[in-house]
Amino acid sequence: MLGRLLLSRGYHSTKGVFGNRPKPRSRYEGISAAVLEKRNANSNVYRWVEAYRTHGHRIATIDPVKFYPAEEQSFTQLPELQYARYGLTAADRIDPTGLINVPQQQTRTMAELDQLLARMYCGTCSIELGFIESEEEREWLAARYEQLFQQAPAPSERREIAELMLKSQAFDQFLAVKFPTVKRYGGEGAESMMAFYWELFRCAGEADLTNLVIGMPHRGKLNVLTTLFGTRPAKIFKKFKGYPEFPADAQAMCDIASHFHTSTDVTVGGKTFHLNMLHNPSHLEAVNPVSMGKARAKQLAHADGPYAVQQGADGYHRSRVLNVQVHGDAAFPGQGINQECLMMANVPHFEVEGTIHLIVNNQVGFTTPAERGRSTRYVSDLAKAIMAPVVHVNADDPEALAGVTKIAVEYRQKFGKDFFIDLNCFRRWGHNELDDPTMTNPLLYKVIHARKSIPDVYAEKLIEAGLFDRADVDAISKSHQNYLTAELQAYEQYEPERTYFDKQWSGLRQPSDEVTVWNTGVDYRLLSHIGRESVKLPEGFNVHPHLQKIHIDARLKRLAEGQRIDWATAEALAIGSLMYQGCNVRLSGEDVGRGTFSQRHAMLVDQQTNEIFIPLNAMAAAAGPNTGRFELANSILSEEAVLGFEYGMAIDNPNNLILWEAQFGDFFNGAQIIIDTFLVSGETKWMMCNGLVMLLPHGYDGAASEHSSCRMERFLQMTDSRETSPDGDTVNLQVVNPSTPAQYFHALRRQMIRNFRKPLVVVAPKTLLRLSDCVSPHGDFAPGTHFQPVLGDPEAGARIDPKRVRRVVLCSGKHYYTLQAERKTRQVSDVALVRLESLCPFPVQAVRDELAKYPNAREYVWSQEEHRNMGAWTFVQPRFENMCERRIQYRGRPEAATVAVGVSQWHLKEAEEVIKTTLY
């Protein structure tokens, strides 16, 4: 233990940096002396109680569908729970105060306590506590959980829960009659989740929360939206009838109805909070990191949670933005994105101060039975990795579910950590309502089809308690069916709502079908100030001596000269200038503070104290409250969850520039699900715009199959760029391969300056970061300058006579410098080099303008260092030939299955051949 303490360390900065607020030490003073004395005096009884808390869940009756009766156990069959094992007898009496949380002091026999403990820990609800290391949390959870069994909900509350569940059932039954051939992914078998949301809303009001951000898959989603979240059924019905959910002028392809979302205000108990139920794709669990990112963005917008200003221990308040995730039982343990999300849960710059998780445990995934869907006892066992409490609940007991939900919110508010509820239910039909589950799970579904529905079981319980009669139950269902019938009749008159470009997105729009130019230049006096501030350190800061020379001194020298601005400096100038304009900037990825290639150093670490310092934030603080802040988020070794998180941040506020940098460009493919289902299609599916920037280091430098290519061909294929007519700003994804620091500067600033948002893929450099020729003069940053989609040959009209050019070579990015160096060495004067800085939108007119400069050219070549079936060739060729009306030849590596060869001599030979065939 001592070794572990010596090796561990907290976050680099105990003072806090933007986006990470130091948490005050716990004030927990340990178990009181009186309680310890009681436990020591009754050590055998306390060991027995702890055995229930540790092992009771193993035999709890949490399954509403038991179809292996021979394997059932009663609590008397678990040796650890037998009081005789601890030297106790049934007749022994004791006052359990201090041992168990009971409402009043009174002596009880062991037999009585046995019944109480069995009801608490082995009934329709059970908690796992044994794996939680913190004594403070264990003690609080045990006490609060045991209080749950002393508090019966009020009759009015029980009726409200029953009414919601009956409405959910009526909704599914209505759809089954009116839309029998539509997959609706209803909530049948899991209607108890209504009790979860009902209690969640009540707790949100009591805790004075401002925002709930919910990520939920499609099962039961329509039930929740129409029954609790205020979504009109007419909207759902219109989609089921085959009509779009957006107004006619929206440039959208739409999505299936079970992927709807909502953004609405909810008022409970006189308190109002905003609710976001996010769009989800059919890739289960992919929405979870998106919900975390959006919750984090809400915290940023409200200067809340990790972004709040610390005011001492007494001024520390839990975030008023709550993230909620709903999971499926097969998907939660099966999809690796969940492990990634949990590993972010307590990481600075990614934590959201606790998420509440509800696992809707259908006990079957698609057609896979539970025992073949995982290797753990419970679907929730991933939660143990971060020591998050887990409570298992039988769906036949919605009252227990509501009580546990209250504990979950209280725990999150107190400890700022995740909490899991495993709702054991069933799926009445197959994967969808048109599927027959009996083909693969006959015994399970024999039991399911023979039992009553969960709402009916609960309604009968209330009838027996005298809180309902049969007429009340029938009236609730009939009334809701009448409401749904009226909504169905009104669907033709329902006009889709314009829910986009509102609130923080007001003033933005979908772009027109043309390419616009935006002035992104900045006065160099300001840029020079920003550059100097980007390396200015506080007095007494012990910077690494190597960085003082190659980073700080070198940058100051470049700024003073103003003629050789390098890549990292241009990036700092872009970020700092956007901050001056009020934009927050967030850059995340693996070790982005330093940069994969040790080029950025935007986050410096004191070599003696380990304290972090971010110079640009010191500049922003001095500039005033309206200046944006820079958040450097060194991430866990994850792509899918981290990119999903950043996408969630990007869709919340268009005034935040969100950048994600891959350690190497090819690592993006670990996040392919997020790219496919959210980034490139979110706007056309859901009218959900975003300006997320992906920085993907790329370049063939002999690194072999991995770390050479960012696979730009995949991104180009995912665009909706046209081959036969010019692109406009409407393309779904913009891909640039900038070859100068100034071009990179303008590309970043353009993301925030223009009046629309599109995702941007930057084919980022590696060797160009330090290439002496890859620099920009200060005039390229001046007011009136902008990103140029094409860069002409800088030697045309000087060393190169345009009239004598016989071959025009088009290329992109780093490859230009290789060709230019060879052309200069060999003194080739009849070949022009034209750079495509923008690949998508494809810059047709700019290319035409460049070609017109060479009236006698007869050959047009596309040259690339990538293999023929990779890179931009297959994208460029049809567009160039169709719209520039010239044939173009290919020069580059031949087709291959692997990105690059793994032998250095082969690599050099290939590179020489590409240059030779391009220029000669």
Side-chain angles (χ1 to χ4, degrees), residues 588-597 600 603 633-635 661 663:
S588 82
E590 294 146 22
D591 203 13
V592 292
R594 187 198 76 168
T596 296
F597 309 101
R600 181 172 292 120
M603 173 186 287
N634 288 329
S635 77
E661 182 175 63
Q663 192 176 73

Side-chain angles (χ1 to χ4, degrees), residues 155-171:
S156 60
E157 296 172 345
R158 301 175 74 186
R159 287 194 295 267
E160 288 179 28
I161 292 172
E163 182 175 349
L164 289 171
M165 293 170 62
L166 288 167
K167 285 181 176 180
S168 177
Q169 178 172 264
F171 180 79

Side-chain angles (χ1 to χ4, degrees), residues 700-735:
Y700 279 52
D701 308 312
S705 55
E706 279 76 54
H707 307 340
S708 290
S709 174
C710 75
R711 307 309 297 255
M712 70 177 80
E713 66 275 4
R714 296 187 183 175
F715 291 99
L716 294 173
Q717 184 186 35
M718 285 187 284
T719 70
D720 55 3
S721 169
R722 299 183 291 259
E723 290 188 3
T724 57
S725 61
D727 293 328
D729 289 333
T730 54
V731 290
N732 65 319
L733 179 69
Q734 302 204 344
V735 182

